[in-house]
């Protein structure tokens, strides 16, 4: 067993605090990784505070993991000691159901094994990336081809990147399309960059007027303050696709009405309580659709990482020490993130 240092929440109202635990020693197919950086996803906060009512405690969040391989099992062929690698939201799945066979492990019919909080359909708890090391089956470890100095800014691609890349590909976003992104947080700022790199005309909808310049720098052609009804009215029936990343319940009609006939709004934000029900007539009269999308499969995650490396895409990050994660959560709740907190794990080793 491997002695591991981490940070955990012991219950829904406790702040995260130092926590030691054991990881398995690497088996024949395992890769042992020294974690260098881990992104802070809003899902970490939802989980630490049991907002989805399924948290197993103690809870060690973190599923935007990058680091260096320090040991491999004797059957491992995809990774070598010294490689820079990533681990995202999943560390295993059944590998035999129809979804797994299609490379869509996130929709595993038996439930994938989350990097933290265990198998989604019950089972033993797993501990995530707010820790100094992790051991993962090689099939769930991603190769990183960005330059080493970008490593910290690559970490958020492992969740925020793939969660936005996958629906943009699924709904075939590309040149000639007008695409709305709702919310400029961790997911939203990746969505703006990715949709722009795919050739779409991106319109960013934000509640924060102060984010306009950043949104344009990241690739948005237009920025709309979503609380301003007059501005919103100008965009009625104008968008082919909307990716909604908002982490809180809100009125979906305000955005659905911006879709053209046959347009789709895909929800990736996963608030702890439901959105008010949308107006059926707004859907019926324009044959509009509401959809959802969950992270992305391992093959597509590798494709996304390679796409980002080719297009020079990384996350805009603010580096924090492990001990600052509780303050970072409070800032995230105020939409005060530019645009992803990333934990420097050297701070955990030094503590
Ligand atoms: P985040 O960094 O906190 O960004 C969310 C953004 O939503 C905020 O920056 C803010 O942007 C906007 N927002 C927040 N509260 C709002 C409100 N009341 N009304 C309107 N807009 C509001 O969070 P994140 O890490 O990007 O995650 C976003 C959501 O996606 C979370 O619920 C997370 O759990 C979920 N998620 C889902 C998946 C999946 O597979 N589907 C994967 C990862 C994360 P502005 O300031 O621009 O308005
Ligand atoms: Zn996440
Ligand atoms: Zn499966």
């Amino acid at each position: 067993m491997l002695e591991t240092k981490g940070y955990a929440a012991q219950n829904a109202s406790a702040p995260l605090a130092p926590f030691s635990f054991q990881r398995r020693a690497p088996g024949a197919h395992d890769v042992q990784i020294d974690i260098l950086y881990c992104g802070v996803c809003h899902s970490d906060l939802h989980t630490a505070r049991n907002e989805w009512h399924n948290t197993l405690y103690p809870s060690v969040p973190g599923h935007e993991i990058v680091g260096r391989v320090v040991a491999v099992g004797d059957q491992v062929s995809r990774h070598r000691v010294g490689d820079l690698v990533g681990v995202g939201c999943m560390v295993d799945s059944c590998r035999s159901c129809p979804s797994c066979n299609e490379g869509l492990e996130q929709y595993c019919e038996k439930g994938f094994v989350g990097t933290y909080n265990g198998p989604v359909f019950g089972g033993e708890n797993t501990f995530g990336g707010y820790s100094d090391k992790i051991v993962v089956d090689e099939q769930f470890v991603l190769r990183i081809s960005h330059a080493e100095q970008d490593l910290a800014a690559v970490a958020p691609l492992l969740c925020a990147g793939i969660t936005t890349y996958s629906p943009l590909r699924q709904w075939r976003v590309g040149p000639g399309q007008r695409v709305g992104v709702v919310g400029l947080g961790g997911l939203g700022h990746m969505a703006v960059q990715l949709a722009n790199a795919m050739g779409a005309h991106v319109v960013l909808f934000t509640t924060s007027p102060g984010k306009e310049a950043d949104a344009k720098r990241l690739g948005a052609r237009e920025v709309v303050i979503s609380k301003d009804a007059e501005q919103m009215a100008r965009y009625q029936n104008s968008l082919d696709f909307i990716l909604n990343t908002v982490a809180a319940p809100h009125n979906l009609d305000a955005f659905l009405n911006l879709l053209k006939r046959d347009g789709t709004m895909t929800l990736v934000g996963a608030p702890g309580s439901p959105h008010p029900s949308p107006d059926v007539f707004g859907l019926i009269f324009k044959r509009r659709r509401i959809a959802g999308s969950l992270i992305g499969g391992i093959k597509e995650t590798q494709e996304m990482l390679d796409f980002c490396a080719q297009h020079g895409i990384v996350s805009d990050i603010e580096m924090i020490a492990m001990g600052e994660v509780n303050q970072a959560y409070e800032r995230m709740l105020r939409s005060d993130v530019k645009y992803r907190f990333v934990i420097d794990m050297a701070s955990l080793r030094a503590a």
Side-chain angles (χ1 to χ4, degrees), residues 146 169 193 196-198 305-314:
H146 284 79
R169 286 293 193 218
Q193 295 186 78
N196 180 55
M198 291 171 188
L305 283 168
D306 297 344
F307 178 90
C308 288
Q310 274 160 23
H311 288 82
I313 294 174
V314 291

Side-chain angles (χ1 to χ4, degrees), residues 103-172:
L104 298 169
E105 299 89 353
Q106 74 275 35
Y107 302 114
C108 174
E109 279 131 65
K110 302 210 170 96
F112 68 84
V113 181
T115 302
Y116 58 78
N117 211 44
V120 287
F121 296 143
E124 210 178 304
N125 199 3
T126 50
F127 296 134
Y130 296 4
S131 59
D132 63 357
K133 59 176 81 68
I134 193 164
V135 177
V136 179
D137 186 290
E138 67 164 333
Q139 301 290 341
F140 287 78
V141 176
L142 287 307
R143 290 182 303 278
I144 290 173
S145 54
H146 284 79
E148 188 164 347
Q149 70 262 26
D150 288 336
L151 193 63
V154 170
L157 306 188
L158 275 305
C159 175
I162 184 59
T163 301
T164 50
Y165 183 90
S166 185
L168 293 171
R169 286 293 193 218
Q170 177 67 24
W171 277 274
R172 299 178 199 287

Side-chain angles (χ1 to χ4, degrees), residues 184 188-189 192-193 204 208-221 223 316 337-339:
L184 197 70
H189 95 291
V192 167
Q193 295 186 78
L204 186 270
S208 309
K211 293 181 180 175
E212 179 170 350
D214 285 337
K216 292 206 164 143
R217 172 177 53 79
L218 290 162
R221 305 278 190 87
V223 177
D316 263 31
V337 191
K338 289 189 172 167
Y339 282 89

